[in-house]
Amino acid sequence: MKKGRIPKDTIFTYGWKEEILMKALGENGKITLKEFAGLAKVPRFLASKTLVRLVSANVLKIHPQESEDFFYAQRIGKMMPVFDLKPAFP
């Protein structure tokens, strides 16, 4: 991901992968790519694509680490976990 450009509006679909991700963030506050791929039972490239799209949309914040990056829910410009999320569909 490149920084320094003016961000454009990013559109994404909130589906079952995003629901799994948000539930995990609500419980743990943070998640890694490996954890998300395992929970959602999707290949790492698909999990990575989902996380990058949500970072681009300012839904998630990335916290780079030497071993593995952590992802947090984005709330008003701060890294904060998400609590009490309800799915968009029954």
Side-chain angles (χ1 to χ4, degrees):
M1 292 178 53
K2 284 189 173 184
K3 282 193 165 190
R5 293 184 173 227
I6 297 172
K8 294 182 180 180
D9 291 337
T10 302
I11 298 172
F12 66 93
T13 303
Y14 185 89
W16 61 271
K17 291 187 307 289
E18 292 78 11
E19 184 176 344
I20 290 169
L21 174 63
M22 293 301 155
K23 283 183 181 180
L25 287 172
E27 292 172 8
N28 304 315
K30 62 183 179 181
I31 197 165
T32 64
L33 169 61
K34 185 177 178 180
E35 291 169 340
F36 176 49
L39 284 173
K41 297 179 181 152
V42 296
R44 286 175 64 104
F45 83 91
L46 186 56
S48 175
K49 186 175 173 180
T50 302
L51 291 170
V52 167
R53 190 176 303 126
L54 292 173
V55 169
S56 296
N58 289 320
V59 174
L60 297 181
K61 179 81 174 173
I62 188 169
H63 185 70
Q65 294 289 310
E66 198 167 307
S67 59
E68 193 168 16
D69 298 338
F70 286 100
F71 295 85
Y72 299 84
Q74 177 85 6
R75 286 250 179 116
I76 314 172
K78 297 179 184 176
M79 292 186 299
M80 294 178 65
V82 177
F83 300 100
D84 299 324
L85 288 175
K86 308 245 184 308
F89 48 87

